[in-house]
Amino acid sequence: MPEEPTNQKSQYLKRDDIRTMEKDIAHLRELESEAAREKIAEIKTGEEAVKEAERLEQSRQAAQERENLEAETEKKDEELIRMREQREERATSAESESAAKTEEEKELLRTRLKEAQLKEEESRRKFLENVAAKAEGRAVEAATEGGEPRSEKSEREMPYIPPVPPVYPRPVPSPIPTPIPAEPKKSFKFSLPSLKIPKPKLPAIPMPKVTGYFPAKSPLFEKIWIRIIVSLLVLAILAAIGTFWYWYLVIKPGTATQEAPIITPPVIQETVKKQPEIIQRLLGAGYYLPVTPKSASAIILHSGSSENNDPYDTENIIGLYKTAGVATHYLIGRDGAIYQLAPDNAIAYHAGAGKMPDGRGNVNNFSIGISLVYKETESPNDAQYESLGWLVKGLKEKYDVTTENILGYKDIAPGKTTPWNFDLDKLKLLISYAPLPASPNNGAEFIFEHLALEKKIGQLLIVGIDGVKLTPELDRFMKTARPGGILLLKKNIENAAQIEKLIQDLQRISLAETGLPLFIAVDQEGGAISRIDFAKEKTGQSEIKNADQAYDVGLERGKELRELGINLNLAPVLDSSEWSTDFLYERSFQKNQEELTSSAKALILGQKTAGILTAIKHFPGYGGIFPDPEKNLNILAHLPEISQFQAVMEANPSLVMVASVVYPIIEDNLPFAFSGNGIAFLKNKLGDGPLVITDDLSQDVFSKNFSLKERATMPLVAGVDILLFSSWEAGIIDAIKDLPEETINKAALKIIKLKQDYFE
């Protein structure tokens, strides 16, 4: 590769002066924007003020209704809790009473059993004593009734009761099978006199009916078994009673009345969110994307509260920002949630006319604003401090912001008081301990995961539009189709102020709808293909003499495009054209392969230095075909020279546009953009780095030979990343929806990554 001439090196020395001029221009535009906003504020009509007052009143009424509803809900919850507690108290009381009653009955039963046993023992003792007394001829103890002796008359009137025969104890079975002679048994426990009592002859009188039976005294183990059985019966009764009450109090109410479950409020546990999520709520107002990339070097802290009954109502605060036309980049709610209201690289109106301690003004141009939601009489809570520490640490690492440049609004604007009651030392301590996220929440993967399928499909499209300004129809189209890029044609361009305003309006809508900026594309090749007629740099590629001039052309052209807000140039053309009849002859470098390659690389580097993305075209080349391939589907039997495309990969172009030709050597009957073999061939030769974009799919060469569904789906299936339509056709998005989501996701993620690398 030849060395660059010394003249090119001198061009690099001019960059500092150019950057200084760009900053001055940006400053002047800021002043013009401020003046315009002040003028708009002054001419605001009384009718708008009345509408604003009505809107605020409606907001207050809605907030009051919401508060009343919450109070009513809270009252109902308290009533449900009270009813549940009463029911539990009744159940507990009933169980206690039942247990006490059961215990009382058991105690009464034990008492009665004991009394009966004592009476039985006493009766048996007296009976045996009377029998023994009669046998010995002693006087028999008179029985008592109610504690008094029976009368003699009663005793005489009682019939004669013969002596009771001896009572022998029950025989106990012997464990030894061999019978053992039984010992003579004694009739009683006391000795009887050895007298032979003659057997009296008793008169034939009826025997009185004896009430009661006095068995022999039971052995100890029988008493134990009786008590065990009685205890088991009592326990069974208690279990039955408990089961009944459980069914009555617990099961029956749920099955019979189907009472609604009592919802108890969850216990709020304060947890430290080490990795809080950034919620995308881009306002689409109160900020703009600068032409020159913003370099953030300061963080300004604010505080505020809602104007309705809920001072922590973040939705109300976001609405106030939109109404006032101002914005901070981030808003941290009372619960620690982080809302992103403007992109980091946007200039947001949050710092007013503040001035840094080092004397720098126009703080909006180089600062990121963060506002915390709390009342003036309060301080940020722990959740807010933790989220703020995490966020600020990430921003410090990303933009190299020094701790000295983390300031409150009151530190840069005299008379301001926010953030209220803020402990900056505590924040600095939290920053030192806060963990850095593994991947930033505004990274490509994070944005991709939070995009709906329709928004991902939109990122695959760069489309043309009608008109030179934002109309209701264009606004509705942008919010419905949500394309990833806009193709500007001559019909859209009048002058610099008009195109700047149109691009800013389109970018604002895209950021609000998807959180992603647009590719603003144009064919500014120079010469005959110059969409911007008023541009100063319009040198055609065929007029470029060497690499030095190519670099200068790319740099100047890129600066003009960047100042207008354009970020993608569909140029240069790398086709090798040798015939004057070729439709690309005036649009291509009229050089040999070596000179063509060096000039192309220099032009690409010049555009990249100016901050413009490049799409080289038309791979693998048209090869001098005739007629115009934009109107006729041509077939090229041979494969053109592609070494120049491979060589310029050293300049890292961002995109590659493919040709609209059929190459039978690659695939029969399909144009290169529709051919899976063709796109695979491209990636094999050029790598996976650049995104692959089609030529205009609205051209006759495609619309006459393929249906809309085929044009919208076949290139993506083949491996293309971006579809280019110079005019919108209804049904494009619906056709792409039928593709496997994996195909859509693969292309969308590559596009989002390129946008992240370019716009951050």
Side-chain angles (χ1 to χ4, degrees):
M1 176 178 170
E3 295 183 357
E4 296 183 356
T6 57
N7 188 28
Q8 180 178 0
K9 296 182 180 179
S10 65
Q11 297 299 326
Y12 286 102
L13 299 177
K14 299 179 182 179
R15 294 181 187 175
D16 291 337
D17 295 337
I18 292 170
R19 292 193 182 96
T20 303
M21 293 173 62
E22 289 176 350
K23 290 182 179 178
D24 293 341
I25 292 171
H27 176 59
L28 290 174
R29 289 188 178 174
E30 172 66 16
L31 295 177
E32 290 175 358
S33 299
E34 289 287 347
R37 285 195 297 275
E38 292 175 359
K39 186 175 180 180
I40 292 172
E42 291 175 358
I43 63 174
K44 189 173 183 180
T45 63
E47 181 180 355
E48 291 175 341
V50 171
K51 289 182 179 180
E52 180 66 16
E54 291 177 354
R55 189 192 67 78
L56 292 175
E57 181 61 27
Q58 291 175 356
S59 299
R60 292 190 185 95
Q61 291 178 359
Q64 184 63 40
E65 291 176 359
R66 184 172 68 250
E67 184 177 355
N68 295 339
L69 182 60
E70 291 175 353
E72 184 178 351
T73 303
E74 184 177 357
K75 185 177 180 181
K76 289 182 179 179
D77 292 342
E78 291 176 355
E79 181 65 20
L80 288 172
I81 293 172
R82 186 183 62 79
M83 292 173 63
R84 185 181 65 177
E85 290 176 350
Q86 290 179 352
R87 188 172 67 185
E88 290 177 352
E89 289 176 0
R90 288 197 299 268
T92 304
S93 177
E95 289 179 358
S96 301
E97 292 177 0
S98 174
K101 186 176 180 181
T102 303
E103 187 63 29
E104 184 179 350
E105 291 176 352
K106 288 170 61 179
E107 188 63 31
L108 180 60
L109 179 60
R110 292 191 193 99
T111 303
R112 290 180 178 177
L113 287 173
K114 188 174 182 180
E115 291 176 354
Q117 187 177 7
L118 292 174
K119 287 182 180 180
E120 178 186 350
E121 292 290 338
E122 182 64 22
S123 299
R124 184 171 180 275
R125 184 184 63 79
K126 289 183 178 180
F127 175 77
L128 294 175
E129 289 178 354
N130 290 337
V131 171
K134 286 185 178 182
E136 296 175 358
R138 292 184 288 109
V140 180
E141 181 182 355
T144 59
E145 291 181 0
E148 296 293 334
R150 294 181 180 177
S151 64
E152 295 179 0
K153 181 178 180 180
S154 299
E155 188 176 354
R156 287 194 301 269
E157 291 178 353
M158 290 183 62
Y160 172 76
I161 299 175
V164 179
V167 179
Y168 300 98
R170 296 180 181 179
V172 180
S174 174
I176 302 175
T178 306
I180 300 175
E183 296 180 359
K185 298 181 181 179
K186 297 181 180 180
S187 300
F188 301 99
K189 293 182 180 180
F190 48 85
S191 60
L192 296 176
S194 57
L195 296 175
K196 292 184 179 180
I197 302 174
K199 186 177 181 180
K201 294 182 180 180
L202 300 176
I205 57 176
M207 293 294 292
K209 185 177 181 181
V210 180
T211 59
Y213 170 69
F214 305 96
K217 189 173 182 180
S218 301
L220 179 61
F221 74 92
E222 290 186 5
K223 292 181 180 180
I224 293 174
W225 275 110
I226 291 172
R227 292 177 181 177
I228 291 174
I229 292 171
V230 171
S231 299
L232 291 175
L233 289 174
V234 171
L235 290 175
I237 294 170
L238 291 176
I241 294 172
T243 303
F244 170 80
W245 281 111
Y246 177 81
W247 170 83
Y248 184 81
L249 295 174
V250 179
I251 300 176
K252 183 180 179 182
T255 56
T257 62
Q258 294 183 352
E259 184 177 335
I262 298 174
I263 302 174
T264 57
V267 178
I268 300 176
Q269 298 181 351
E270 295 186 1
T271 58
V272 178
K273 298 197 300 181
K274 294 183 179 180
Q275 296 284 337
E277 178 180 349
I278 297 178
I279 303 169
Q280 297 289 332
R281 290 297 304 275
L282 298 179
L283 297 176
Y287 61 86
Y288 69 93
L289 292 174
V291 174
T292 303
K294 168 186 170 183
S295 177
S297 60
I299 295 174
I300 307 300
L301 304 176
H302 307 262
S303 62
S305 59
S306 173
E307 293 184 354
N308 58 22
N309 294 327
D310 182 4
Y312 313 124
D313 187 352
T314 55
E315 294 299 326
N316 179 263
I317 294 173
I318 292 173
L320 293 175
Y321 275 129
K322 287 185 177 180
T323 302
V326 296
T328 60
H329 294 84
Y330 295 95
L331 179 70
I332 300 179
R334 195 62 174 166
D335 58 354
I338 303 174
Y339 301 87
Q340 185 168 16
L341 308 185
D344 291 350
N345 61 335
I347 293 179
Y349 306 121
H350 70 94
K355 183 177 289 186
M356 296 291 288
D358 58 13
R360 288 182 294 167
N362 297 320
V363 181
N364 291 332
N365 292 346
F366 55 82
S367 66
I368 293 176
I370 303 175
S371 184
L372 296 95
V373 178
Y374 60 95
K375 295 188 291 186
E376 187 173 1
T377 57
E378 299 174 333
S379 300
N381 59 24
D382 290 342
Q384 289 178 307
Y385 271 120
E386 289 162 4
S387 294
L388 179 62
W390 179 88
L391 176 61
V392 170
K393 183 165 186 176
L395 294 174
K396 275 172 54 58
E397 295 292 332
K398 184 176 181 180
Y399 298 107
D400 196 23
V401 179
T402 62
T403 304
E404 291 74 17
N405 285 329
I406 302 173
L407 302 169
Y409 189 27
K410 59 187 177 184
D411 299 324
I412 65 169
K416 302 299 180 181
T417 60
T418 64
W420 304 307
N421 311 313
F422 189 83
D423 189 348
L424 188 58
D425 292 334
K426 181 176 181 179
L427 173 62
K428 292 178 180 178
L429 182 63
L430 285 171
I431 292 172
S432 63
Y433 286 102
L436 279 173
S439 60
N441 276 353
N442 59 346
E445 290 80 3
F446 175 82
I447 297 172
F448 172 79
E449 290 174 0
H450 288 75
L451 279 183
L453 178 62
E454 291 79 5
K455 295 181 180 180
K456 293 177 184 177
I457 292 174
Q459 292 302 305
L460 312 184
L461 303 171
I462 294 180
V463 300
I465 57 174
D466 295 325
V468 295
K469 64 180 180 180
L470 183 65
T471 62
E473 293 77 16
L474 180 55
D475 181 87
R476 185 165 50 253
F477 165 76
M478 292 296 296
K479 293 178 179 179
T480 303
R482 295 181 284 262
I486 297 296
L487 174 66
L488 295 178
L489 302 172
K490 279 192 174 182
K491 64 180 181 179
N492 308 121
I493 301 170
E494 290 182 342
N495 53 62
Q498 168 266 324
I499 196 63
E500 286 180 33
K501 180 65 167 61
L502 175 61
I503 291 173
Q504 287 184 5
D505 289 340
L506 296 175
Q507 290 284 24
R508 173 177 53 80
I509 296 173
S510 178
L511 288 169
E513 291 295 319
T514 67
L516 292 166
L518 294 166
F519 286 136
I520 304 296
V522 68
D523 283 296
Q524 193 71 4
E525 300 173 8
I529 308 299
S530 296
R531 307 301 187 196
I532 305 172
D533 288 333
F534 57 81
K536 296 179 181 179
E537 176 48 67
K538 294 188 292 184
T539 305
Q541 287 185 206
S542 61
E543 302 172 7
I544 295 177
K545 298 178 181 179
N546 52 47
D548 288 344
Q549 184 184 6
Y551 179 84
D552 292 340
V553 168
L555 181 63
E556 295 303 319
R557 182 176 296 163
K559 288 178 182 178
E560 288 186 290
L561 296 179
R562 187 62 187 261
E563 288 177 359
L564 297 173
I566 297 168
N567 50 48
L568 172 59
N569 190 14
L570 304 178
V573 175
L574 298 190
D575 298 76
S576 179
S577 179
E578 301 176 357
W579 305 97
S580 59
T581 55
D582 187 351
F583 81 106
L584 288 177
Y585 185 77
E586 296 295 331
R587 297 168 58 186
S588 60
F589 293 106
Q590 298 302 313
K591 304 284 187 295
N592 58 40
Q593 287 298 111
E594 183 178 348
E595 293 175 340
L596 186 158
T597 298
S598 62
S599 296
K601 286 195 293 185
L603 194 149
I604 293 170
L605 290 172
Q607 291 187 156
K608 182 175 291 188
T609 302
I612 296 296
L613 299 172
T614 296
I616 58 175
K617 58 186 183 184
H618 307 83
F619 186 88
Y622 283 109
I625 66 172
F626 186 84
D628 189 343
E630 295 181 357
K631 298 179 180 179
N632 301 279
L633 185 59
N634 294 314
I635 299 175
L636 195 60
H638 67 281
L639 195 64
E641 178 64 41
I642 63 170
S643 61
Q644 69 274 24
F645 287 95
Q646 293 175 295
V648 299
M649 285 297 105
E650 296 177 4
N652 294 319
S654 301
L655 298 94
V656 178
M657 180 180 287
V658 295
S660 306
V661 177
V662 176
Y663 301 94
I665 194 172
I666 293 177
E667 186 162 347
D668 292 331
N669 304 322
L670 285 178
F672 193 87
F674 291 51
S675 168
N677 292 338
I679 304 303
F681 174 78
L682 181 152
K683 294 182 178 180
N684 180 53
K685 298 299 182 180
L686 305 185
D688 291 327
L691 272 65
V692 182
I693 182 173
T694 68
D695 206 337
D696 182 11
L697 294 173
S698 299
Q699 294 174 351
D700 291 343
V701 64
F702 293 117
S703 61
K704 290 180 179 180
N705 294 283
F706 299 93
S707 67
L708 175 61
K709 185 171 184 178
E710 290 172 332
R711 285 181 283 151
T713 59
M714 292 180 69
L716 294 174
V717 172
V720 169
D721 301 305
I722 298 177
L723 307 179
L724 183 64
F725 284 89
S726 62
S727 61
W728 180 254
E729 299 179 53
I732 293 176
I733 292 179
D734 289 337
I736 298 175
K737 281 183 180 179
D738 294 336
L739 292 177
E741 192 166 348
E742 181 181 356
T743 301
I744 299 170
N745 289 343
K746 184 178 180 180
L749 183 57
K750 289 178 65 176
I751 294 167
I752 295 171
K753 285 182 176 179
L754 176 59
K755 288 186 175 182
Q756 180 194 15
D757 294 339
Y758 176 76
F759 288 101
E760 70 175 359

